[in-house]
Amino acid sequence: MESRDSVAAVHGGLEGDRYCTGRGYYSPFDVCEVTLVQAEAIEEIRETTGIDLTDGRHRRNVVVRGGDIHDLLNTRFELGGATLEGTRPRPPCRHVEEVAGEDGVMRALMDGRGGICARVAEPGSIAVGDEVGDVEDMGNFEGLVANIRERVGR
């Protein structure tokens, strides 16, 4: 993972991201356009397990602070100049532990600390310090449709 001050959210994901370019480990079978994780979850992991994931080894694209990230599922929300739709939880996989090179990373990201997937509904720039805003509930049906669109690439 490469830390950036800002990134362009484009249709299909984040500009230059391995999944947006089709080079992700699970491409094309399990793709999240944007992955978000909560800063408080990363801090909790460090406090309870001693595993420090602040260097990005959690393999999520965007770290947000405040609230419960799972409240963004089945919603349309703004992040910086982009509009995203929360589609599904993003549980950890064994690959994240292999890439991190540290035993226990996968387990540490379990129990709701792995973050969520989101689809880019409207492109825009996302920068460090941007806050989540204008959350609109899409209901389960629209979230299901977005998830299906994400999986079939439409």
Side-chain angles (χ1 to χ4, degrees):
M1 299 298 287
E2 178 184 319
S3 180
R4 295 186 178 183
D5 291 332
S6 66
V7 65
V10 297
H11 288 293
L14 299 179
E15 192 172 76
D17 179 67
R18 64 198 183 281
Y19 283 98
C20 190
T21 61
R23 295 174 296 146
Y25 185 78
Y26 292 106
S27 291
F29 306 107
D30 185 15
V31 176
C32 286
E33 290 186 1
V34 181
T35 54
L36 297 97
V37 68
Q38 198 158 345
E40 292 87 348
I42 295 169
E43 292 163 358
E44 178 186 350
I45 288 168
R46 184 180 58 227
E47 291 168 11
T48 60
T49 69
I51 297 173
D52 186 356
L53 300 177
T54 57
D55 61 359
R57 291 181 304 139
H58 47 74
R59 309 283 292 166
R60 303 307 186 248
N61 301 123
V62 178
V63 178
V64 296
R65 180 174 292 283
D68 182 347
I69 199 165
H70 296 93
D71 290 344
L72 297 176
L73 292 172
N74 300 316
T75 69
R76 185 177 178 103
F77 59 95
E78 292 179 357
L79 184 58
T83 301
L84 307 177
E85 295 174 350
T87 58
R88 62 189 168 105
R90 187 64 180 166
C93 62
R94 181 135 333 266
H95 182 66
V96 74
E97 188 160 304
E98 292 167 7
V99 173
E102 183 174 357
D103 290 338
V105 171
M106 186 176 87
R107 180 177 298 281
L109 286 167
M110 290 181 166
D111 298 326
R113 295 183 293 223
I116 67 168
C117 295
R119 183 181 80 78
V120 177
E122 296 176 25
S125 180
I126 300 172
V128 171
D130 286 343
E131 296 182 7
V132 173
D134 290 338
V135 177
E136 176 187 339
D137 186 3
M138 296 186 328
N140 289 333
F141 181 74
E142 284 121 4
L144 176 62
V145 170
N147 192 12
I148 290 169
R149 282 187 188 136
E150 179 181 355
R151 289 180 182 261
V152 297
R154 292 186 183 191

Short mmCIF file of all heavy atoms in Angstrom, two decimals, residues 1-67:
data_model
loop_
_atom_site.label_atom_id
_atom_site.label_comp_id
_atom_site.label_asym_id
_atom_site.label_seq_id
_atom_site.Cartn_x
_atom_site.Cartn_y
_atom_site.Cartn_z
N MET A 1 0.85 -1.18 0.00
CA MET A 1 0.00 0.00 0.00
C MET A 1 0.90 1.24 0.00
O MET A 1 1.94 1.26 0.61
CB MET A 1 -0.90 0.00 1.22
CG MET A 1 -1.86 -1.19 1.31
SD MET A 1 -3.03 -1.31 -0.03
CE MET A 1 -4.16 -0.01 0.35
N GLU A 2 0.40 2.25 -0.69
CA GLU A 2 1.13 3.50 -0.80
C GLU A 2 0.28 4.62 -0.24
O GLU A 2 -0.84 4.83 -0.69
CB GLU A 2 1.44 3.77 -2.28
CG GLU A 2 2.14 5.05 -2.55
CD GLU A 2 2.31 5.28 -4.04
OE1 GLU A 2 2.63 4.33 -4.77
OE2 GLU A 2 2.10 6.44 -4.48
N SER A 3 0.79 5.33 0.75
CA SER A 3 0.05 6.42 1.36
C SER A 3 0.06 7.63 0.42
O SER A 3 1.08 7.95 -0.19
CB SER A 3 0.69 6.79 2.69
OG SER A 3 -0.01 7.85 3.29
N ARG A 4 -1.09 8.29 0.31
CA ARG A 4 -1.21 9.48 -0.53
C ARG A 4 -1.99 10.54 0.22
O ARG A 4 -2.84 10.22 1.05
CB ARG A 4 -1.96 9.17 -1.82
CG ARG A 4 -1.23 8.21 -2.72
CD ARG A 4 -1.96 8.09 -4.01
NE ARG A 4 -1.24 7.20 -4.91
CZ ARG A 4 -1.62 6.95 -6.13
NH1 ARG A 4 -2.70 7.52 -6.61
NH2 ARG A 4 -0.92 6.15 -6.90
N ASP A 5 -1.74 11.80 -0.12
CA ASP A 5 -2.51 12.89 0.47
C ASP A 5 -3.89 13.01 -0.15
O ASP A 5 -4.82 13.47 0.49
CB ASP A 5 -1.76 14.22 0.31
CG ASP A 5 -0.50 14.27 1.17
OD1 ASP A 5 -0.46 13.61 2.22
OD2 ASP A 5 0.45 14.98 0.77
N SER A 6 -4.01 12.60 -1.43
CA SER A 6 -5.31 12.60 -2.09
C SER A 6 -5.29 11.59 -3.22
O SER A 6 -4.23 11.17 -3.68
CB SER A 6 -5.65 14.00 -2.64
OG SER A 6 -4.76 14.35 -3.67
N VAL A 7 -6.50 11.20 -3.64
CA VAL A 7 -6.64 10.23 -4.73
C VAL A 7 -7.94 10.53 -5.46
O VAL A 7 -8.90 11.03 -4.87
CB VAL A 7 -6.62 8.78 -4.18
CG1 VAL A 7 -7.83 8.51 -3.29
CG2 VAL A 7 -6.50 7.76 -5.29
N ALA A 8 -7.96 10.22 -6.75
CA ALA A 8 -9.17 10.41 -7.55
C ALA A 8 -10.02 9.15 -7.49
O ALA A 8 -9.55 8.06 -7.80
CB ALA A 8 -8.80 10.73 -8.99
N ALA A 9 -11.26 9.31 -7.05
CA ALA A 9 -12.23 8.21 -7.13
C ALA A 9 -12.86 8.31 -8.51
O ALA A 9 -13.38 9.36 -8.89
CB ALA A 9 -13.29 8.36 -6.04
N VAL A 10 -12.75 7.23 -9.27
CA VAL A 10 -13.27 7.19 -10.64
C VAL A 10 -14.26 6.03 -10.73
O VAL A 10 -14.30 5.17 -9.86
CB VAL A 10 -12.12 7.00 -11.67
CG1 VAL A 10 -11.17 8.19 -11.62
CG2 VAL A 10 -11.37 5.71 -11.44
N HIS A 11 -15.05 6.00 -11.80
CA HIS A 11 -15.94 4.85 -11.97
C HIS A 11 -15.06 3.61 -12.02
O HIS A 11 -14.10 3.54 -12.78
CB HIS A 11 -16.78 4.99 -13.24
CG HIS A 11 -17.84 6.04 -13.11
ND1 HIS A 11 -18.91 5.91 -12.25
CD2 HIS A 11 -17.98 7.24 -13.71
CE1 HIS A 11 -19.66 6.98 -12.33
NE2 HIS A 11 -19.12 7.81 -13.20
N GLY A 12 -15.34 2.65 -11.16
CA GLY A 12 -14.55 1.43 -11.09
C GLY A 12 -13.60 1.37 -9.92
O GLY A 12 -13.01 0.33 -9.65
N GLY A 13 -13.42 2.49 -9.19
CA GLY A 13 -12.55 2.45 -8.02
C GLY A 13 -11.70 3.68 -7.85
O GLY A 13 -12.10 4.79 -8.19
N LEU A 14 -10.50 3.48 -7.33
CA LEU A 14 -9.57 4.57 -7.10
C LEU A 14 -8.49 4.54 -8.17
O LEU A 14 -7.91 3.49 -8.45
CB LEU A 14 -8.94 4.47 -5.71
CG LEU A 14 -9.91 4.53 -4.55
CD1 LEU A 14 -9.17 4.39 -3.22
CD2 LEU A 14 -10.71 5.83 -4.57
N GLU A 15 -8.25 5.67 -8.77
CA GLU A 15 -7.28 5.77 -9.86
C GLU A 15 -5.94 5.16 -9.45
O GLU A 15 -5.38 5.51 -8.41
CB GLU A 15 -7.10 7.24 -10.24
CG GLU A 15 -6.36 7.47 -11.52
CD GLU A 15 -6.40 8.92 -11.91
OE1 GLU A 15 -5.66 9.71 -11.29
OE2 GLU A 15 -7.17 9.26 -12.81
N GLY A 16 -5.48 4.20 -10.24
CA GLY A 16 -4.19 3.55 -9.99
C GLY A 16 -4.25 2.37 -9.04
O GLY A 16 -3.26 1.64 -8.90
N ASP A 17 -5.39 2.16 -8.37
CA ASP A 17 -5.50 1.04 -7.43
C ASP A 17 -5.45 -0.29 -8.19
O ASP A 17 -5.94 -0.40 -9.31
CB ASP A 17 -6.81 1.13 -6.65
CG ASP A 17 -6.98 -0.02 -5.67
OD1 ASP A 17 -6.20 -0.10 -4.70
OD2 ASP A 17 -7.88 -0.86 -5.91
N ARG A 18 -4.89 -1.29 -7.55
CA ARG A 18 -4.72 -2.61 -8.19
C ARG A 18 -6.04 -3.22 -8.65
O ARG A 18 -6.08 -3.90 -9.66
CB ARG A 18 -3.97 -3.54 -7.25
CG ARG A 18 -4.71 -3.86 -5.97
CD ARG A 18 -3.77 -4.41 -4.89
NE ARG A 18 -4.49 -4.78 -3.69
CZ ARG A 18 -4.90 -3.92 -2.76
NH1 ARG A 18 -4.67 -2.63 -2.91
NH2 ARG A 18 -5.54 -4.36 -1.70
N TYR A 19 -7.13 -2.99 -7.94
CA TYR A 19 -8.41 -3.55 -8.37
C TYR A 19 -9.04 -2.71 -9.48
O TYR A 19 -9.71 -3.25 -10.35
CB TYR A 19 -9.36 -3.74 -7.18
CG TYR A 19 -8.96 -4.96 -6.39
CD1 TYR A 19 -8.21 -4.85 -5.23
CD2 TYR A 19 -9.30 -6.23 -6.84
CE1 TYR A 19 -7.81 -5.98 -4.54
CE2 TYR A 19 -8.89 -7.36 -6.15
CZ TYR A 19 -8.15 -7.22 -5.00
OH TYR A 19 -7.75 -8.34 -4.32
N CYS A 20 -8.82 -1.43 -9.47
CA CYS A 20 -9.35 -0.57 -10.53
C CYS A 20 -8.66 -0.89 -11.85
O CYS A 20 -9.27 -0.81 -12.91
CB CYS A 20 -9.14 0.89 -10.15
SG CYS A 20 -9.99 2.06 -11.24
N THR A 21 -7.41 -1.30 -11.80
CA THR A 21 -6.66 -1.63 -13.01
C THR A 21 -6.75 -3.11 -13.37
O THR A 21 -6.17 -3.54 -14.36
CB THR A 21 -5.17 -1.25 -12.86
OG1 THR A 21 -4.61 -2.00 -11.78
CG2 THR A 21 -5.01 0.24 -12.61
N GLY A 22 -7.45 -3.90 -12.52
CA GLY A 22 -7.61 -5.33 -12.80
C GLY A 22 -6.45 -6.20 -12.39
O GLY A 22 -6.36 -7.36 -12.78
N ARG A 23 -5.53 -5.66 -11.56
CA ARG A 23 -4.35 -6.43 -11.14
C ARG A 23 -4.43 -6.90 -9.69
O ARG A 23 -3.47 -7.42 -9.16
CB ARG A 23 -3.09 -5.58 -11.30
CG ARG A 23 -2.78 -5.23 -12.75
CD ARG A 23 -1.60 -4.28 -12.84
NE ARG A 23 -2.02 -3.03 -12.19
CZ ARG A 23 -1.22 -2.23 -11.50
NH1 ARG A 23 0.04 -2.51 -11.36
NH2 ARG A 23 -1.67 -1.13 -10.95
N GLY A 24 -5.58 -6.75 -9.06
CA GLY A 24 -5.74 -7.17 -7.67
C GLY A 24 -5.66 -8.69 -7.53
O GLY A 24 -5.98 -9.43 -8.47
N TYR A 25 -5.27 -9.15 -6.38
CA TYR A 25 -5.08 -10.57 -6.11
C TYR A 25 -6.34 -11.38 -6.43
O TYR A 25 -6.25 -12.48 -6.95
CB TYR A 25 -4.67 -10.76 -4.64
CG TYR A 25 -4.34 -12.18 -4.27
CD1 TYR A 25 -3.12 -12.74 -4.63
CD2 TYR A 25 -5.25 -12.96 -3.57
CE1 TYR A 25 -2.81 -14.04 -4.29
CE2 TYR A 25 -4.95 -14.27 -3.22
CZ TYR A 25 -3.72 -14.81 -3.58
OH TYR A 25 -3.42 -16.10 -3.25
N TYR A 26 -7.51 -10.82 -6.10
CA TYR A 26 -8.77 -11.54 -6.32
C TYR A 26 -9.50 -11.08 -7.59
O TYR A 26 -10.64 -11.48 -7.82
CB TYR A 26 -9.68 -11.39 -5.11
CG TYR A 26 -9.15 -12.12 -3.90
CD1 TYR A 26 -8.59 -11.43 -2.83
CD2 TYR A 26 -9.18 -13.50 -3.85
CE1 TYR A 26 -8.09 -12.11 -1.74
CE2 TYR A 26 -8.68 -14.18 -2.75
CZ TYR A 26 -8.14 -13.48 -1.69
OH TYR A 26 -7.64 -14.15 -0.61
N SER A 27 -8.89 -10.24 -8.41
CA SER A 27 -9.54 -9.80 -9.66
C SER A 27 -9.69 -11.00 -10.58
O SER A 27 -8.80 -11.82 -10.67
CB SER A 27 -8.67 -8.75 -10.36
OG SER A 27 -8.66 -7.55 -9.66
N PRO A 28 -10.77 -11.09 -11.30
CA PRO A 28 -11.98 -10.27 -11.28
C PRO A 28 -13.08 -10.86 -10.41
O PRO A 28 -14.22 -10.45 -10.50
CB PRO A 28 -12.41 -10.29 -12.75
CG PRO A 28 -12.08 -11.69 -13.19
CD PRO A 28 -10.80 -12.04 -12.43
N PHE A 29 -12.76 -11.82 -9.55
CA PHE A 29 -13.77 -12.59 -8.83
C PHE A 29 -14.35 -11.91 -7.60
O PHE A 29 -15.52 -12.10 -7.29
CB PHE A 29 -13.20 -13.96 -8.44
CG PHE A 29 -12.65 -14.69 -9.63
CD1 PHE A 29 -11.29 -14.83 -9.80
CD2 PHE A 29 -13.50 -15.20 -10.60
CE1 PHE A 29 -10.78 -15.49 -10.91
CE2 PHE A 29 -13.01 -15.86 -11.71
CZ PHE A 29 -11.63 -16.00 -11.87
N ASP A 30 -13.57 -11.16 -6.88
CA ASP A 30 -14.04 -10.53 -5.65
C ASP A 30 -13.42 -9.14 -5.58
O ASP A 30 -12.34 -8.96 -5.05
CB ASP A 30 -13.64 -11.36 -4.43
CG ASP A 30 -14.21 -10.78 -3.14
OD1 ASP A 30 -15.12 -9.94 -3.20
OD2 ASP A 30 -13.72 -11.17 -2.07
N VAL A 31 -14.13 -8.19 -6.15
CA VAL A 31 -13.58 -6.85 -6.26
C VAL A 31 -14.41 -5.86 -5.46
O VAL A 31 -15.63 -5.83 -5.57
CB VAL A 31 -13.54 -6.39 -7.74
CG1 VAL A 31 -13.07 -4.96 -7.86
CG2 VAL A 31 -12.65 -7.32 -8.55
N CYS A 32 -13.75 -5.07 -4.67
CA CYS A 32 -14.35 -3.92 -4.00
C CYS A 32 -13.74 -2.69 -4.66
O CYS A 32 -12.52 -2.58 -4.73
CB CYS A 32 -14.02 -3.88 -2.52
SG CYS A 32 -14.87 -5.08 -1.52
N GLU A 33 -14.57 -1.79 -5.16
CA GLU A 33 -14.02 -0.60 -5.80
C GLU A 33 -13.21 0.23 -4.81
O GLU A 33 -12.11 0.68 -5.13
CB GLU A 33 -15.15 0.23 -6.41
CG GLU A 33 -15.78 -0.43 -7.62
CD GLU A 33 -16.79 0.46 -8.30
OE1 GLU A 33 -17.04 1.61 -7.87
OE2 GLU A 33 -17.36 -0.02 -9.29
N VAL A 34 -13.77 0.45 -3.63
CA VAL A 34 -13.08 1.20 -2.58
C VAL A 34 -13.29 0.44 -1.28
O VAL A 34 -14.39 0.00 -0.99
CB VAL A 34 -13.67 2.63 -2.43
CG1 VAL A 34 -12.92 3.40 -1.34
CG2 VAL A 34 -13.61 3.39 -3.75
N THR A 35 -12.22 0.26 -0.54
CA THR A 35 -12.33 -0.37 0.78
C THR A 35 -12.06 0.68 1.84
O THR A 35 -11.14 1.49 1.71
CB THR A 35 -11.37 -1.56 0.93
OG1 THR A 35 -10.04 -1.14 0.62
CG2 THR A 35 -11.76 -2.70 0.01
N LEU A 36 -12.90 0.68 2.87
CA LEU A 36 -12.75 1.63 3.95
C LEU A 36 -12.60 0.88 5.26
O LEU A 36 -13.24 -0.16 5.47
CB LEU A 36 -13.98 2.54 4.05
CG LEU A 36 -14.25 3.43 2.84
CD1 LEU A 36 -15.27 2.79 1.93
CD2 LEU A 36 -14.73 4.79 3.27
N VAL A 37 -11.76 1.38 6.13
CA VAL A 37 -11.58 0.82 7.46
C VAL A 37 -11.61 1.97 8.46
O VAL A 37 -11.28 3.11 8.13
CB VAL A 37 -10.25 0.01 7.55
CG1 VAL A 37 -9.03 0.91 7.44
CG2 VAL A 37 -10.19 -0.84 8.80
N GLN A 38 -11.99 1.66 9.67
CA GLN A 38 -12.14 2.67 10.69
C GLN A 38 -10.85 2.83 11.48
O GLN A 38 -10.24 1.84 11.91
CB GLN A 38 -13.28 2.27 11.62
CG GLN A 38 -13.81 3.39 12.43
CD GLN A 38 -15.22 3.11 12.90
OE1 GLN A 38 -15.90 2.22 12.41
NE2 GLN A 38 -15.66 3.91 13.85
N ALA A 39 -10.41 4.07 11.69
CA ALA A 39 -9.20 4.36 12.44
C ALA A 39 -9.27 3.77 13.84
O ALA A 39 -8.28 3.23 14.35
CB ALA A 39 -8.98 5.88 12.51
N GLU A 40 -10.46 3.84 14.45
CA GLU A 40 -10.61 3.31 15.80
C GLU A 40 -10.38 1.80 15.84
O GLU A 40 -9.88 1.26 16.84
CB GLU A 40 -12.00 3.64 16.35
CG GLU A 40 -12.21 5.13 16.61
CD GLU A 40 -12.69 5.91 15.37
OE1 GLU A 40 -12.65 5.38 14.25
OE2 GLU A 40 -13.09 7.07 15.55
N ALA A 41 -10.74 1.08 14.77
CA ALA A 41 -10.50 -0.36 14.71
C ALA A 41 -9.01 -0.65 14.66
O ALA A 41 -8.52 -1.57 15.32
CB ALA A 41 -11.21 -0.97 13.49
N ILE A 42 -8.27 0.13 13.88
CA ILE A 42 -6.82 -0.04 13.78
C ILE A 42 -6.17 0.23 15.13
O ILE A 42 -5.26 -0.49 15.56
CB ILE A 42 -6.25 0.87 12.68
CG1 ILE A 42 -6.79 0.43 11.32
CG2 ILE A 42 -4.72 0.86 12.70
CD1 ILE A 42 -6.50 1.40 10.20
N GLU A 43 -6.66 1.25 15.83
CA GLU A 43 -6.13 1.57 17.16
C GLU A 43 -6.45 0.47 18.17
O GLU A 43 -5.61 0.10 18.98
CB GLU A 43 -6.69 2.92 17.63
CG GLU A 43 -6.18 4.08 16.81
CD GLU A 43 -6.99 5.35 16.95
OE1 GLU A 43 -8.02 5.36 17.68
OE2 GLU A 43 -6.60 6.35 16.32
N GLU A 44 -7.67 -0.06 18.10
CA GLU A 44 -8.07 -1.15 19.00
C GLU A 44 -7.20 -2.38 18.77
O GLU A 44 -6.79 -3.05 19.72
CB GLU A 44 -9.55 -1.50 18.77
CG GLU A 44 -10.03 -2.65 19.63
CD GLU A 44 -11.45 -3.07 19.29
OE1 GLU A 44 -12.14 -2.38 18.53
OE2 GLU A 44 -11.86 -4.13 19.79
N ILE A 45 -6.92 -2.68 17.52
CA ILE A 45 -6.06 -3.83 17.18
C ILE A 45 -4.69 -3.64 17.80
O ILE A 45 -4.13 -4.56 18.40
CB ILE A 45 -5.98 -4.01 15.65
CG1 ILE A 45 -7.32 -4.54 15.13
CG2 ILE A 45 -4.83 -4.93 15.27
CD1 ILE A 45 -7.46 -4.49 13.62
N ARG A 46 -4.14 -2.45 17.68
CA ARG A 46 -2.81 -2.19 18.25
C ARG A 46 -2.83 -2.34 19.77
O ARG A 46 -1.93 -2.93 20.36
CB ARG A 46 -2.32 -0.80 17.85
CG ARG A 46 -0.88 -0.52 18.34
CD ARG A 46 -0.37 0.85 17.96
NE ARG A 46 -1.25 1.87 18.49
CZ ARG A 46 -1.70 2.91 17.81
NH1 ARG A 46 -1.37 3.09 16.55
NH2 ARG A 46 -2.50 3.80 18.37
N GLU A 47 -3.89 -1.82 20.41
CA GLU A 47 -3.98 -1.88 21.87
C GLU A 47 -4.19 -3.30 22.39
O GLU A 47 -3.65 -3.67 23.42
CB GLU A 47 -5.11 -0.97 22.35
CG GLU A 47 -4.82 0.50 22.17
CD GLU A 47 -6.06 1.36 22.39
OE1 GLU A 47 -7.09 0.86 22.89
OE2 GLU A 47 -5.99 2.56 22.05
N THR A 48 -5.01 -4.09 21.69
CA THR A 48 -5.36 -5.42 22.20
C THR A 48 -4.42 -6.54 21.75
O THR A 48 -4.31 -7.56 22.42
CB THR A 48 -6.81 -5.80 21.83
OG1 THR A 48 -6.94 -5.81 20.41
CG2 THR A 48 -7.80 -4.84 22.45
N THR A 49 -3.78 -6.35 20.59
CA THR A 49 -2.94 -7.43 20.06
C THR A 49 -1.47 -7.06 19.92
O THR A 49 -0.62 -7.94 19.74
CB THR A 49 -3.42 -7.87 18.66
OG1 THR A 49 -3.16 -6.83 17.72
CG2 THR A 49 -4.89 -8.25 18.67
N GLY A 50 -1.18 -5.77 19.94
CA GLY A 50 0.19 -5.32 19.72
C GLY A 50 0.56 -5.25 18.24
O GLY A 50 1.68 -4.90 17.90
N ILE A 51 -0.40 -5.56 17.36
CA ILE A 51 -0.15 -5.49 15.91
C ILE A 51 -0.45 -4.07 15.44
O ILE A 51 -1.56 -3.58 15.60
CB ILE A 51 -1.01 -6.51 15.15
CG1 ILE A 51 -0.64 -7.94 15.57
CG2 ILE A 51 -0.85 -6.33 13.64
CD1 ILE A 51 -1.54 -9.01 15.00
N ASP A 52 0.55 -3.42 14.87
CA ASP A 52 0.41 -2.04 14.41
C ASP A 52 0.17 -2.04 12.90
O ASP A 52 1.08 -2.33 12.12
CB ASP A 52 1.67 -1.25 14.75
CG ASP A 52 1.54 0.22 14.42
OD1 ASP A 52 0.50 0.64 13.86
OD2 ASP A 52 2.50 0.97 14.71
N LEU A 53 -1.05 -1.69 12.51
CA LEU A 53 -1.43 -1.67 11.09
C LEU A 53 -1.50 -0.25 10.54
O LEU A 53 -2.01 -0.03 9.44
CB LEU A 53 -2.77 -2.38 10.89
CG LEU A 53 -2.81 -3.85 11.31
CD1 LEU A 53 -4.22 -4.40 11.14
CD2 LEU A 53 -1.80 -4.66 10.53
N THR A 54 -0.96 0.72 11.27
CA THR A 54 -1.04 2.10 10.82
C THR A 54 -0.21 2.36 9.56
O THR A 54 -0.38 3.39 8.92
CB THR A 54 -0.60 3.08 11.93
OG1 THR A 54 0.73 2.75 12.34
CG2 THR A 54 -1.55 3.03 13.12
N ASP A 55 0.63 1.41 9.19
CA ASP A 55 1.43 1.56 7.97
C ASP A 55 0.69 1.11 6.72
O ASP A 55 1.26 1.12 5.62
CB ASP A 55 2.74 0.79 8.10
CG ASP A 55 2.53 -0.71 8.29
OD1 ASP A 55 1.37 -1.16 8.35
OD2 ASP A 55 3.55 -1.43 8.40
N GLY A 56 -0.58 0.69 6.85
CA GLY A 56 -1.38 0.31 5.69
C GLY A 56 -1.42 -1.18 5.42
O GLY A 56 -2.03 -1.62 4.45
N ARG A 57 -0.82 -1.98 6.28
CA ARG A 57 -0.83 -3.43 6.06
C ARG A 57 -2.21 -4.03 6.18
O ARG A 57 -2.42 -5.19 5.85
CB ARG A 57 0.15 -4.13 7.01
CG ARG A 57 1.59 -3.80 6.67
CD ARG A 57 2.59 -4.48 7.57
NE ARG A 57 2.31 -4.14 8.95
CZ ARG A 57 2.37 -5.01 9.96
NH1 ARG A 57 2.69 -6.25 9.74
NH2 ARG A 57 2.12 -4.63 11.18
N HIS A 58 -3.19 -3.26 6.59
CA HIS A 58 -4.59 -3.72 6.63
C HIS A 58 -5.13 -3.86 5.21
O HIS A 58 -6.16 -4.49 5.01
CB HIS A 58 -5.47 -2.77 7.45
CG HIS A 58 -5.28 -1.33 7.10
ND1 HIS A 58 -5.75 -0.77 5.93
CD2 HIS A 58 -4.62 -0.34 7.77
CE1 HIS A 58 -5.42 0.51 5.90
NE2 HIS A 58 -4.73 0.80 6.99
N ARG A 59 -4.47 -3.26 4.23
CA ARG A 59 -4.79 -3.36 2.80
C ARG A 59 -6.14 -2.73 2.44
O ARG A 59 -6.78 -3.11 1.47
CB ARG A 59 -4.76 -4.82 2.32
CG ARG A 59 -3.51 -5.58 2.67
CD ARG A 59 -2.34 -5.24 1.83
NE ARG A 59 -2.53 -5.71 0.46
CZ ARG A 59 -1.78 -5.31 -0.54
NH1 ARG A 59 -0.81 -4.48 -0.35
NH2 ARG A 59 -2.00 -5.77 -1.76
N ARG A 60 -6.58 -1.74 3.21
CA ARG A 60 -7.79 -1.01 2.87
C ARG A 60 -7.38 0.32 2.26
O ARG A 60 -6.35 0.89 2.61
CB ARG A 60 -8.69 -0.79 4.10
CG ARG A 60 -9.10 -2.09 4.82
CD ARG A 60 -9.74 -3.09 3.87
NE ARG A 60 -10.27 -4.27 4.56
CZ ARG A 60 -9.77 -5.49 4.43
NH1 ARG A 60 -8.71 -5.71 3.66
NH2 ARG A 60 -10.33 -6.50 5.05
N ASN A 61 -8.20 0.87 1.37
CA ASN A 61 -7.84 2.09 0.65
C ASN A 61 -7.94 3.35 1.48
O ASN A 61 -7.11 4.24 1.35
CB ASN A 61 -8.75 2.29 -0.57
CG ASN A 61 -8.71 1.17 -1.55
OD1 ASN A 61 -9.75 0.59 -1.84
ND2 ASN A 61 -7.56 0.84 -2.09
N VAL A 62 -9.00 3.46 2.27
CA VAL A 62 -9.30 4.70 2.96
C VAL A 62 -9.56 4.42 4.44
O VAL A 62 -10.29 3.49 4.79
CB VAL A 62 -10.54 5.39 2.34
CG1 VAL A 62 -10.89 6.67 3.08
CG2 VAL A 62 -10.33 5.66 0.86
N VAL A 63 -8.95 5.23 5.30
CA VAL A 63 -9.17 5.13 6.74
C VAL A 63 -10.05 6.32 7.15
O VAL A 63 -9.73 7.47 6.83
CB VAL A 63 -7.83 5.18 7.51
CG1 VAL A 63 -8.08 5.12 9.02
CG2 VAL A 63 -6.91 4.04 7.07
N VAL A 64 -11.17 6.03 7.81
CA VAL A 64 -12.08 7.08 8.28
C VAL A 64 -12.15 7.02 9.80
O VAL A 64 -11.87 6.00 10.42
CB VAL A 64 -13.50 6.94 7.67
CG1 VAL A 64 -13.44 7.12 6.17
CG2 VAL A 64 -14.13 5.62 8.02
N ARG A 65 -12.53 8.14 10.40
CA ARG A 65 -12.62 8.23 11.85
C ARG A 65 -14.00 8.71 12.25
O ARG A 65 -14.59 9.57 11.62
CB ARG A 65 -11.56 9.21 12.38
CG ARG A 65 -11.58 9.36 13.89
CD ARG A 65 -10.43 10.21 14.41
NE ARG A 65 -9.16 9.56 14.23
CZ ARG A 65 -8.68 8.57 15.01
NH1 ARG A 65 -9.42 8.11 15.99
NH2 ARG A 65 -7.49 8.05 14.79
N GLY A 66 -14.51 8.12 13.34
CA GLY A 66 -15.78 8.54 13.91
C GLY A 66 -16.95 7.67 13.50
O GLY A 66 -16.99 7.15 12.40
N GLY A 67 -17.89 7.50 14.41
CA GLY A 67 -19.08 6.70 14.13
C GLY A 67 -18.75 5.23 13.98
O GLY A 67 -17.70 4.76 14.40
#
